[in-house]
Amino acid sequence: MKTARTQVKRVPKRGNYDLTTVCSILDAGLICHVGFVVEGQPFVIPTAYGRIENRLFIHGSPASRMLKSLQQGIDVCVTVTLLDGLVLARSAMHHSMNYRSVVVFGKAELVSEREEKLRALYAFTEHVMAGRWAATREPNEQELQGTTVLALPIEEASAKIRTGPPVDDAADYDLPHWAGVIPLRVQAGEPIGDPQLAKGIGVPDHVTQYLQNSVSR
Amino acid sequence: MKTARTQVKRVPKRGNYDLTTVCSILDAGLICHVGFVVEGQPFVIPTAYGRIENRLFIHGSPASRMLKSLQQGIDVCVTVTLLDGLVLARSAMHHSMNYRSVVVFGKAELVSEREEKLRALYAFTEHVMAGRWAATREPNEQELQGTTVLALPIEEASAKIRTGPPVDDAADYDLPHWAGVIPLRVQAGEPIGDPQLAKGIGVPDHVTQYLQNSVSR
């Protein structure tokens, strides 16, 4: 997977190229940033995604400029970034962040086969929250036809990870400034039921389970 | 600020164009995704940023491919996305997310004047954490010269925001599925002091204050 495009240029020791690492970061994220070029102009659009094996799926309305552009087989760059902490150094210039990020290069393909599209939509829904698909109405034929699904192979991909304490200049360790890491994580709050929720429908188990697990996300 | 490039194409009611909204989202984020094109290939790179008035600053090593490319005055797209919640609908297809995002288009300019560069580095540091600059060693001349700072005007920019409960098809409101929003926020954990921290240096007030305020971030 290491190519001229995916090689981590800055701080190469932070680069990591195995598929397991790449996929674990993709699975822990919720939003990707899709980069593509239209008439020389770069666009970076945040969107949800799903993964099945070594394919990343994005979806949306057939009218979406992003999806219309991408299905023409143009080059795309999809980036997922998870922020894990603020790295506070003794010197201003050595401030940094702990993070896990993945960059995937390639060309997206239209998913047109019905069963495959359904599998991709299953993956999206389960990516948002495990157990969700079984607790919702499945897509009907009209919705299936009214949704564009694209697949991007996770082949030319790289991960970049920073962990651990700040790294200051040797002479700065004697300074009287506090240094360290402030861990950051995404915390789920109490579920807010839809105001139009029918009476008697309680928070289901898969949501409760998600909240319990959200600590480790 | 509303131009052909920044007009929100999908779900136009989610588009928002005033500078105050754009800046409030930029100030609440920590990471931006920078999109640029090299030889036709789009790249999307996560990086920290700072803001002073209507200019967004990024910085890094002069050897960075991103910074070397951008200072040639090529088109850039910088996107900041804050995830506010999972929107769980009764139907799989109406699942969504609550979010605030900003897209800025333009061309970055090299910041070469010493005082302006210092102000930008101040803005970076204070963006990570208010009060941090005064509690660190300021950049020396070597660091200033060894850092590339670029400014992107926040002129051609747009914000897109989704809030509130899921929107299901009318017929689906009778389904027995739970629907609602799971709020998400970035939560700061307990500070982890640098293992090499000199004895007697406690967690400073600006860090404690940050932790108290992190609830609303």
Side-chain angles (χ1 to χ4, degrees), chain A residues 41-42, chain B residues 5 73-78 104-108 152-153 156:
Chain A
Q41 168 69 48
Chain B
R5 282 195 296 203
I74 60 174
D75 283 310
V76 59
C77 174
V78 173
V104 185
F105 294 102
K107 294 180 201 296
L152 177 67
E156 202 176 330

Side-chain angles (χ1 to χ4, degrees), chain A residues 5 41 44 79 185 187, chain B residues 5 33 41 44 79 185 187:
Chain A
R5 281 195 296 203
Q41 168 69 48
V44 178
T79 300
R185 64 181 173 78
Q187 167 79 53
Chain B
R5 282 195 296 203
H33 282 81
Q41 168 69 48
V44 177
T79 301
R185 64 182 174 76
Q187 167 79 55

Side-chain angles (χ1 to χ4, degrees), chain B residues 200-216:
Chain B
I201 302 182
V203 174
D205 286 349
H206 66 277
V207 173
T208 310
Q209 204 129 41
Y210 178 87
L211 298 177
Q212 286 166 354
N213 295 339
S214 89
V215 173
S216 64

Side-chain angles (χ1 to χ4, degrees), chain A residues 83-86 181-185, chain B residues 186-192 210-211:
Chain A
L83 192 53
D84 292 327
L86 306 177
V181 171
I182 312 297
L184 299 178
R185 64 181 173 78
Chain B
V186 176
Q187 167 79 55
E190 283 302 303
I192 302 166
Y210 178 87
L211 298 177

Side-chain angles (χ1 to χ4, degrees), chain A residues 4-5 7 9-10 30-31 33-37 40-46 48 59 61 63-65 75-77 79-81 83 86 88-95 97 101 103 105 121 125 128-129 132-139 143 147 165-166 168-169 172-173 175-198 201-204 207 210-211, chain B residues 4-5 7 9-10 30-31 33-37 40-46 48 59 61 63-65 75-77 79-81 83 86 88-95 97 101 103 105 121 125 128-129 132-139 143 147 165-166 168-169 172-173 175-198 201-204 207 210-211:
Chain A
R5 281 195 296 203
Q7 200 190 339
K9 310 277 187 197
R10 300 296 313 150
L30 287 164
I31 289 277
H33 282 81
V34 179
F36 58 101
V37 187
Q41 168 69 48
F43 290 86
V44 178
I45 306 293
H59 77 317
S61 159
S64 148
R65 172 176 55 191
D75 283 310
V76 59
C77 174
T79 300
V80 171
T81 307
L83 192 53
L86 306 177
L88 306 180
R90 294 157 184 85
S91 65
M93 294 308 295
H94 282 299
H95 278 61
M97 300 204 184
S101 70
V103 175
F105 293 103
L121 296 174
T125 312
V128 173
M129 188 176 290
R132 192 66 198 151
W133 182 263
T136 56
R137 174 178 67 69
E138 289 192 15
E143 288 172 331
T147 305
D168 268 307
D169 291 350
D172 288 340
Y173 281 86
L175 291 174
H177 304 317
W178 188 86
V181 171
I182 312 297
L184 299 178
R185 64 181 173 78
V186 175
Q187 167 79 53
E190 283 302 303
I192 302 166
D194 185 340
Q196 297 190 57
L197 203 58
I201 301 182
V203 174
V207 173
Y210 178 87
L211 298 178
Chain B
R5 282 195 296 203
Q7 200 189 339
K9 309 277 187 197
R10 301 297 313 151
L30 286 163
I31 289 277
H33 282 81
V34 180
F36 59 100
V37 187
Q41 168 69 48
F43 290 86
V44 177
I45 306 294
H59 77 316
S61 159
S64 148
R65 173 176 54 191
D75 283 310
V76 59
C77 174
T79 301
V80 171
T81 307
L83 192 54
L86 306 177
L88 306 180
R90 294 156 184 86
S91 65
M93 293 309 293
H94 282 299
H95 278 61
M97 299 202 185
S101 70
V103 175
F105 294 102
L121 296 174
T125 312
V128 173
M129 188 176 290
R132 192 67 199 151
W133 182 263
T136 56
R137 173 178 67 70
E138 290 192 14
E143 288 173 329
T147 304
D168 267 307
D169 291 350
D172 288 339
Y173 280 87
L175 292 174
H177 304 316
W178 187 87
V181 171
I182 311 297
L184 299 177
R185 64 182 174 76
V186 176
Q187 167 79 55
E190 283 302 303
I192 302 166
D194 185 341
Q196 296 189 59
L197 204 57
I201 302 182
V203 174
V207 173
Y210 178 87
L211 298 177

